[in-house]
Each structure stands twice: as C-alpha cells, then as structure tokens.
Amino acid sequence: MPHVITQSCCSDASCVYACPVNCIHPTPDEPDFHTAQMLYVDPVECVDCGACVTACPVDAIKPHTKLTADEDVFATLNAGFYATPRPRPILAPVVPPLQVRAGDLRVAIVGSGPAAMYAAEEVLTIPGARVRMYERLTQPYGLARFGVAPDHQRTRSVSRQFDHIAADPRLEMRLGVEVGRDVTHDEILSEHHAAIYAVGAATDRRLDIDGIDLPGVTSATEFVAWYNGHPDFADRSFDLSHHRALVIGNGNVALDVARILTMDPDRLASTSIAPHALKALRDSAIEEVVVVGRRGIEQSAFTIPELVGLCSTPGVDVVVRDEDLRTLPDSDPRAEILRAAPRGEGNRRIVLEYLLSPTAILGESDTEGVEFVHNELVAAPDGSTRVKATGLQRVIETGLVLTSIGYRGRPVPGLPFDEATSTVPHESGRVPGVRGAFVTGWIKRGPTGFIGTNKSCAQETVRSLVDDYNAGLLT
C-alpha cells in the first residue's frame, strides 16, 4: 500500500479532490461519508503520487514505509475498507463553483468554530463576497481550540487551515461579541444579506439520576474545556485526590479525558495544555480510570482511531475483561488492538467496563461511588439488540465522576428550536420563518460527525443561501 490515512484524519475531504485517481473514500457525495470514522486509501488504486499528503490539513497521510509501529494497524484498516468492491466513478464528482448575480454578497457568521470557518471558506470562493464573523469568546476556532485533546497535536493543526481562511482580507472577525446580548439578528441584517448561525452544541446531556448534583460529579465536556484553557472554565477545580476516577459513557471524549487523567504529565508539558491543568495533574493521585458503557463492547461509541491512540499511550495499561473481548469476532480490529495493548509494571490503568447503567451517585456531602445495574443484550423483533436490566447491582467506589453521554444545543435568540433534537429546524440550512437566517454545524444536524464533516454541511448551507440570494430573497 503506497499511502495510508492514519488516526488524526479529520474527514474534511480535501484529499478526496486532490487525488487524481479517486482512490480515497467515502467521498462527501457517498451515503456512508457522514458515518465513516475516517477516510481510507484504496491500496490497489493508489498510484503513490502523494497529492493527498499535501492536501491533508492535519498531516494524517503517510507512505506505508513511514508508519510507526502504533500506526501499522491503519494499513490493515485502509485495505479492509475495500474488501468489498465499491461502485464508483473514475473521478470524484467536481463541485461546481458558486456564482451570484450582480452585487457584493455580505454574509454574517455567528460562531468561529470549524462549522463557521468552513462556511466562511465557502462564501469567500465567491468573488467580491465579504464575511463578518461574530464570536462570543476572545479567541476563535471553538472546539478545534478548546475541544481537541492537547496531546492530539496533529488534529489540532487544523487550526493552520483556519488561520489561512481568517487571513483573507474580506473576512472580518469580531471577537468578544455575543449575538443576542451585544447585537441582534435584525441589526445584523441591516448590514448583511444573511446570517449563518454556527453556534454548535454548547451544553451536555444531563444524566438524571439520584446524587447527580453531589460535589465530585461534573461533565467530561467541562473537564476538557478546563484542561484546554477555555476562559469560562479556567477557575474550575477538580478533586484529583482519589486513586480512581470514573467516566460514564465511552465515546471519543470519554477516552480523551481518561487518557489525560492517566498519562505522564511530563508528556503533556510540551503540548498546549493549560498551565493550571498541568499543575493539577502533576499533583493528581489518580491511578485508575474506569470508563463505563451501558451496552456491549461491539456497541462501543469510541472510534477505532481513538482506541489506537489510547492503547499506544506510554505508561498506561488499557484493560478489558476477557469475557467482553470474546464477544468480538476475530475480524474486528478492536479485538486485535486490545489484545495487543502493551502492559507494564507500575503503569496507571484505564479499565473499559460494559453492560452497566448508572442508577445513583453515592455519598452524603461528597461523591463516594456510583451504583450500577448490570445489563444484558436481548434480540429485538427487528433483528437488532436492546439493553435489558438484569436487576443485579454493582457499586464502583470513586471520588470523581465525569459524565460523557453527549452534547446538546441551546436555543438561539430569535430562532425556532426543537427540544427533542436540540437543533434549529431547517430546510437544507434555511431557517423557515426567519428572514435571512441559516444554520450549519451541530446546531443544524445535531452533535454528530467529525471536524471535517462540517465542511460538506457548510457547503449545503451556503449553496442554499446563494440560491436565495440569486432569487432576490435576500436584500
């Protein structure tokens, strides 16, 4: 295999259009693009030209001869994606350029995270178009700055691409300005044809069980923001004096916080971690982090690239019960990765637990543990599996509980809001009933996908905006 996409893939698809032989998939127009954990190079079709290496904004693509021992598994993953032939055109479809009628298009964008930056990039492909960006914080780029783990330095390098977008003289960035507080939608439209809201999903899904408000319980999202130096959480403190922490949920964020809590602080010192967090982690007594999921190991919410990164963390053992591993087929790459995870005497541990649902946080004035009920997987009439509580209980002692069960969007002043999905209702990005309002990113589609998924999402929204502008609907 000449070239291989590795774990830092952000799925922004720049490599897809750079490839002269269309050997990188899924492409944004293919149905599995929005659910794929990463993109993959076809080892048979690749001609080893290296065009994808230059195009990748996070340095995720390497010749197979330069893979490290920890990255060898990605050669297998890339090849495995093409085990079943994929019908596809000879070349990836070309996205037609945006064109507008006479006049200079002026667009406001609310937010400055990946969804906002990709929307700005798309608008700025139009000659004469101008963008003004409103950001509540005093630093831009949202979760690309405050949500990616500090040791994922290649993933964080997507900010270089955003720096390039922000350097366009037709983009004006107003930091420290909150829409709804400092400026209204109507005031924005007095100077712009339209406003694109790219405000993300800023809050967490709440775990509604007894004891959830005890000291020692917080969300993984807040913990991530704290160690990344988010100004809203810089003054927070976390009790790291116990030997065990517990994370409820097993998505990528859950694995990130487990890794940060257990890895050697000296390895974090050279990253962008906030100084106050590094000091606290140096003084931490945590030796073990238990990551709990309510379903089985086959339904783990984390991605395979995230698991590879976790299992290659020096000084950290990743532990899974043999009975859980036996439920994975031998062909499942997670089985190979977990069985091959190195062990070391004196290492800290991350324990992956399955089929447990929390029922209560235990403690009087502080968190002392979590009560769980054991689950089993039963077949549903449609052939799927569902979780059924067995009634058997278990208590895991801990002094720190981090919940990581998903994000929720917040209502946007002046826009409709769907409480069930925590999104703004839309039609291809258009907000019905609100003049000049559009949405993109998580507030549009919910908290799904990766950094690069926002690119195709923004393209759809901006094309809707341009269609309306050309139809004379935006004045």
Side-chain angles (χ1 to χ4, degrees), residues 86-260:
R86 296 175 63 88
R88 60 183 189 265
I90 295 176
L91 292 177
V94 176
V95 179
L98 293 170
Q99 295 181 337
V100 299
R101 59 178 173 78
D104 293 338
L105 178 64
R106 300 181 185 181
V107 178
I109 299 178
V110 182
S112 68
M117 297 307 299
Y118 284 128
E121 180 183 43
E122 194 70 11
V123 172
L124 293 173
T125 63
I126 304 169
R130 285 178 283 173
V131 172
R132 178 181 292 163
M133 190 170 286
Y134 296 89
E135 168 57 55
R136 179 180 68 86
L137 300 176
T138 57
Q139 292 180 292
Y141 306 160
L143 285 182
R145 182 186 298 273
F146 297 116
V148 178
D151 60 322
H152 284 176
Q153 295 187 43
R154 279 196 289 169
T155 304
R156 293 175 72 94
S157 66
V158 73
S159 62
R160 296 199 303 263
Q161 182 183 19
F162 298 159
D163 286 339
H164 178 73
I165 298 169
D168 192 309
R170 294 175 295 146
L171 172 60
E172 175 191 356
M173 193 172 289
R174 293 194 174 181
L175 303 176
V177 178
E178 183 173 356
V179 174
R181 181 194 66 189
D182 303 313
V183 64
T184 67
H185 178 73
D186 287 341
E187 288 172 337
I188 288 175
L189 289 191
S190 69
E191 298 182 353
H192 301 86
H193 294 98
I196 300 175
Y197 288 83
V199 295
T203 59
D204 300 276
R205 289 180 57 196
R206 178 177 170 83
L207 183 62
D208 191 14
I209 59 175
D210 290 343
I212 194 66
D213 294 320
L214 277 171
V217 181
T218 189
S219 73
T221 303
E222 293 183 3
F223 189 72
V224 169
W226 169 75
Y227 65 58
N228 277 328
H230 193 296
D232 290 351
F233 300 94
D235 295 332
R236 285 292 304 273
S237 61
F238 299 89
D239 186 357
L240 308 181
S241 64
H242 302 267
H243 82 281
R244 179 186 293 124
L246 191 145
V247 184
I248 298 174
N250 60 12
N252 285 355
V253 173
L255 266 56
D256 276 345
V257 299
R259 189 181 65 257
I260 295 298

Side-chain angles (χ1 to χ4, degrees), residues 304-323:
I304 292 174
E306 185 73 22
L307 180 63
V308 171
L310 184 73
C311 291
S312 61
T313 305
V316 178
D317 292 345
V318 180
V319 180
V320 184
R321 293 183 301 173
D322 288 339
E323 52 264 43

Side-chain angles (χ1 to χ4, degrees), residues 9-12 32-38 114 143 252-253 301 303 407 441-442 445-457:
C9 175
C10 69
S11 299
D12 102 319
D32 53 346
F33 175 77
H34 294 288
T35 57
Q37 296 182 359
M38 55 185 286
L143 285 182
N252 285 355
V253 173
T303 62
Y407 295 91
W442 281 2
R445 67 181 191 274
T448 60
F450 307 96
I451 289 177
T453 313
N454 292 294
K455 188 168 187 174
S456 57
C457 182

Side-chain angles (χ1 to χ4, degrees), residues 3 103 111 120 126 134 145 189 232 266-267 314 338 378 395 470 473:
H3 280 80
I126 304 169
Y134 296 89
R145 182 186 298 273
L189 289 191
D232 290 351
D266 287 342
R267 292 186 173 273
L338 288 166
V378 297
V395 172
N470 288 336
L473 301 178

Side-chain angles (χ1 to χ4, degrees), residues 376-397:
E376 62 180 356
L377 295 177
V378 297
D382 61 359
S384 63
T385 58
R386 61 182 180 86
V387 171
K388 179 182 177 183
T390 65
L392 182 64
Q393 292 184 327
R394 177 182 175 188
V395 172
I396 300 178
E397 295 182 355

